Structure formats: structure tokens, C-alpha cells
Amino acid sequence: MKILVINSGSSSIKYQLFEMDKKAALTTGLVERIGLDGSRIKHKIFRNGDAAEVIKEIPIKNHQQGLERVAELLMDSEVGVIESPAEIAAVGHRTVHGGERFNSTTIITDEVVAKMRELIPLAPLHNPANLEGIEVARQIFPQATQVAVFDTAFHQTMPAAAYRYAIPNNYYTEHGIRAYGFHGTSHLFVSKAAAEYLGKPVADTNVITAHLGNGCSITAIRGGRSVDTSMGFSPLPGLMMGTRSGDIDPAIIYYLGTKLGMPLADIDKLLNKQSGLLGVSGNSDLRDIEARQASGDAEAQLALDMYTYRIKKYIGAYVAVLGRVDALVFTAGVGENSPYVRQHSCAGLENMGIKLDAAKNRSDSRALREISTADSPVKVLVVPTNEELEIANQTLAAITQN
Ligand code: ADP
């Protein structure tokens, strides 16, 4: 059975086609610069252990055209992997915001689309692009069941004490202002993999998962259920990120508006696109910052100090939330690849039972691996995330249950 996973953004569509019998990706690709100059499709196919990539530089006016070209590539005589769109049993859509309405993976109907439209004010940038992807996939793959996998759904198990903000109740009851949390698919995937590695039932396993990519979030998971997470009403709070500030005093926003006369749109841009690692060091890519730090650059050093200090603070907070922690998991681009960040985020946490093994931490293995000392009460793991596979698995589960 084949499942197509789609992540539709405002000017891009990422896709991956899975053969579910083997849990293997047959193709992966990216349509980029939709509606802009220089639009193109990067399409990669995996055959017999080899990968080959084709790049098509073609005008792509909108998402409809983009997905039509993808369907053609999937059926292409040279780089294709299917003969007819009907071979695709289901399309799993990565969907950013499900609000409180969607707490699990959901088969898409007209009613579901209507409810998702009602949620647009909560995610004005992401949900319209996700809906666009859903609308065109329904036209191009009409035989396939369309399934929505929400980034927020995994965190719907948080208790009110964790998700409510201490502002008057009506802002929650009338306007839905609460913490929702994001990156749920990744936190779920790596926490399940960690429990499996530990050989424990998910229901008995407590894990802290640190997803450190361009966006960063950290989650406390008790018995397979998210009980707290660092992102909130939006993906802005919590850890310091590539270009997002993470936690700041909200009074700064008021100050920027009143004292500096900054329009709200500029403040939004400042905190989401010009802050974080970029704002402090001038680079958003951690590799560049690590290279500068190694040659003694003070701004790069400060950015790394702030970045790892914030992670450490959240780990400490989530040890307190969980009481007992079986594993601390690092994942995503930085979490999987930066020994420096892992080392400095865990330094000084030995009394909390977190003891890193310096040599294991430096290993350049790409696989799931343990990087704590043999006597560390909390296992520290590096678990490569695979959000697309998790979306495909959840899509499969949704269509086989119905
Ligand atoms: P996204 O959130 O866009 O999916 P990724 O999970 O790919 O992001 O993570 C991107 C981040 O990972 C970038 O800051 C990049 O510098 C960092 N990264 C990737 N490889 C390495 C590496 N070898 N060492 C340090 N950082 C890395």
C-alpha cells in the first residue's frame, strides 16, 4: 500500500511517497518558489539502495499546478514510481493547527475542512497553506482518502495547569487563548522510539524530548502523553531558535510599541524572523555559529551560551514536572548533529541523574544512540526524527480503523 505525505506551505510543497509494507520512502521532493520567479521541483527517488535526484525548473503558478507536476513526476517513465494516481491509497497532510477541536489524526471531510477554516485565525500563516494543499490533493488524487495529521494534536493531553495562561478566563473561553504546543508529530515519534529502545511499554515511560531544528521545542511526556511543552499559543515562546526569540518578557512588546513606536507587524517580524541565534550572532545556522565560536568570536559564544542555557533550564523544569525521567532525547538538525549543544545543555545536570559520556556524545553515528554513561540514571539518547514516516503511519492507522 502506498501513502503520499504532503507538507504544504505558503510557497512550497514538500512530499514523500511511502511503500507502507516496507515502511520505506520511494520518493521525496520539494516544490519551491510557487507563484514566484525561479520556481522548481527537486524530486529524489530511492531504488535498490541508491538515490537519484532530478531538478525541474519550470513555472509553477499555484499549488494546483505544483501538485499536478508532482503527480506527473510520480508517474514519469524514468523517475516515476507509480503508474496511476489510483495506486495511492491515502494522502497524509501535515497540518499545523488543530486547535482544541482536533486531538487526533482525522479523515478529511467537507465538515473537517470547514472546521479547519474556522481555525485560520489561530494559525494565519500556516493553516491556509495547509488547506490549499488539501483542496488540490482532493482533486488530483480523488480515489485516495485524505487525512490530516495535526502538529498540535499530541499536546492536547496537557493539563489545564500547563496550558492555561494566567490572564482573565474569558480570553480562553471566548478566544481560545491557551498554549497548544507544536512539533507534536516529532515529539511523539522520538518518544515512542525511545521507549522501544529502553524496552519499556510507552505507558510506563517518562521522557523529555528536545526537538532542536530551526524551530526548537522541548516536551515533557509522561506515559506516552504530552504533559507540558515549551511552545505555546504560537511557535514563538520557549527555547531560543534560529530566528525566533523564544521566551521574552511580554512587556517588551508593549515597550516597543509605545516607546519606539514600532507597528505590530514589525514587532511580529522582529521576534519571529530577526531574533534568536540570528539576532544575537548574525547567523541563524548553527554550523556557522559553531565555526565562529571555535575561532574565538564573542557574539557566537554568547549566542551558544544563551541557546544551551535555555535548553538546560527547560530540562530542569521538566525533570520537576515529571518527577521520574527515564530518558532525555535530542532530535532534529541541531539535536542530532551538535555534540557541543548536547554537552553544554546537559552540563551540571549530573545531580538530576543526567550524566553524559563525552566520547559517546562525540560519535558521528547517524543512528539512534545512547550517549549517557553506563551508570547514568537518566538515559540520554539521540533519536533521528522522521515526521513524514510518523504522518504516514498515522494516516495508515486512520484509514485501517475506518
Ligand atoms: P527544520 O526545523 O527546518 O526542519 P532542521 O531540523 O533541519 O530544521 O535543523 C536545522 C538546523 O540544524 C540548522 O541550524 C543547522 O545548522 C543545524 N545542523 C544541521 N547539521 C548540523 C551539524 N552537523 N552540526 C551542527 N548543526 C547542524
Side-chain angles (χ1 to χ4, degrees), residues 100-133:
E100 289 188 329
R101 170 68 177 72
F102 298 107
N103 59 11
S104 60
T105 295
T106 304
I107 293 186
I108 296 169
T109 59
D110 290 341
E111 193 203 339
V112 167
V113 168
K115 292 278 180 223
M116 286 174 63
R117 285 201 191 289
E118 288 171 20
L119 294 171
I120 287 178
L122 289 176
L125 291 181
H126 292 106
N127 275 25
N130 298 157
L131 278 161
E132 178 87 33

Side-chain angles (χ1 to χ4, degrees), residues 274-291:
Q274 300 167 337
S275 295
L277 293 170
L278 178 68
V280 176
S281 77
N283 286 107
S284 67
D285 192 305
L286 198 92
R287 283 165 291 203
D288 299 332
I289 299 169
E290 286 189 350

Side-chain angles (χ1 to χ4, degrees), residues 363-395:
S363 149
D364 54 10
S365 156
R366 290 273 155 274
L368 190 161
R369 56 201 183 273
E370 187 173 324
I371 56 168
S372 41
T373 60
D375 68 343
S376 179
V378 176
K379 300 283 174 224
V380 184
L381 307 177
V382 178
V383 181
T385 194
N386 193 338
E387 292 170 272
E388 291 78 13
L389 178 59
E390 179 62 30
I391 291 171
N393 281 334
Q394 290 196 28
T395 300

Side-chain angles (χ1 to χ4, degrees), residues 211-215 284-287 290 332-334 337-338:
H211 176 109
L212 310 176
N214 281 313
S284 67
D285 192 305
L286 198 92
R287 283 165 291 203
E290 286 189 350
V334 173
N337 294 302
S338 173

Side-chain angles (χ1 to χ4, degrees), residues 180-257:
Y180 291 99
F182 298 87
H183 289 146
T185 311
S186 178
H187 289 293
L188 173 61
F189 180 83
V190 299
S191 62
K192 283 192 299 192
E196 192 178 326
Y197 173 82
L198 298 175
K200 290 179 69 130
V202 168
D204 289 339
T205 310
N206 291 354
V207 195
I208 298 172
T209 50
H211 176 109
L212 310 176
N214 281 313
C216 301
S217 68
I218 181 161
T219 298
I221 301 166
R222 178 180 292 123
R225 295 158 68 89
S226 168
V227 291
D228 203 354
T229 193
S230 61
M231 284 179 168
F233 177 69
S234 78
L236 187 53
L239 301 175
M240 181 170 163
M241 314 187 200
T243 64
R244 293 191 199 119
S245 63
D247 291 333
I248 61 161
D249 179 345
I252 295 169
I253 296 167
Y254 181 72
Y255 189 86
L256 293 172

Side-chain angles (χ1 to χ4, degrees), residues 38-250:
S39 52
R40 58 184 196 164
I41 306 183
K42 282 196 237 170
H43 179 81
K44 206 175 198 181
I45 51 168
F46 305 101
R47 272 194 201 132
N48 312 322
D50 286 335
E53 187 174 71
V54 284
I55 297 180
K56 299 245 173 210
E57 310 217 338
I58 41 173
I60 300 165
K61 271 203 319 236
N62 51 34
H63 286 67
Q64 168 94 27
Q65 273 193 354
L67 204 58
E68 279 169 2
R69 297 294 92 79
V70 170
E72 286 164 16
L73 280 170
L74 294 175
M75 291 182 286
D76 186 87
S77 57
E78 283 174 21
V79 295
V81 284
I82 54 171
E83 281 171 13
S84 133
E87 284 177 53
I88 295 175
V91 182
H93 296 267
R94 179 186 184 201
T95 311
V96 168
H97 214 308
E100 289 188 329
R101 170 68 177 72
F102 298 107
N103 59 11
S104 60
T105 295
T106 304
I107 293 186
I108 296 169
T109 59
D110 290 341
E111 193 203 339
V112 167
V113 168
K115 292 278 180 223
M116 286 174 63
R117 285 201 191 289
E118 288 171 20
L119 294 171
I120 287 178
L122 289 176
L125 291 181
H126 292 106
N127 275 25
N130 298 157
L131 278 161
E132 178 87 33
I134 289 169
E135 298 291 1
V136 297
R138 287 173 106 186
Q139 289 167 34
I140 295 169
F141 304 103
Q143 291 98 333
T145 308
Q146 310 287 328
V147 175
V149 180
F150 298 94
D151 241 20
T152 48
F154 179 55
H155 300 298
Q156 278 296 305
T157 50
M158 285 194 288
Y163 72 68
R164 286 291 301 274
Y165 293 115
I167 57 175
N169 293 336
N170 63 305
Y171 290 94
Y172 167 59
T173 53
E174 289 167 30
H175 303 286
I177 297 178
R178 51 158 285 176
Y180 291 99
F182 298 87
H183 289 146
T185 311
S186 178
H187 289 293
L188 173 61
F189 180 83
V190 299
S191 62
K192 283 192 299 192
E196 192 178 326
Y197 173 82
L198 298 175
K200 290 179 69 130
V202 168
D204 289 339
T205 310
N206 291 354
V207 195
I208 298 172
T209 50
H211 176 109
L212 310 176
N214 281 313
C216 301
S217 68
I218 181 161
T219 298
I221 301 166
R222 178 180 292 123
R225 295 158 68 89
S226 168
V227 291
D228 203 354
T229 193
S230 61
M231 284 179 168
F233 177 69
S234 78
L236 187 53
L239 301 175
M240 181 170 163
M241 314 187 200
T243 64
R244 293 191 199 119
S245 63
D247 291 333
I248 61 161
D249 179 345

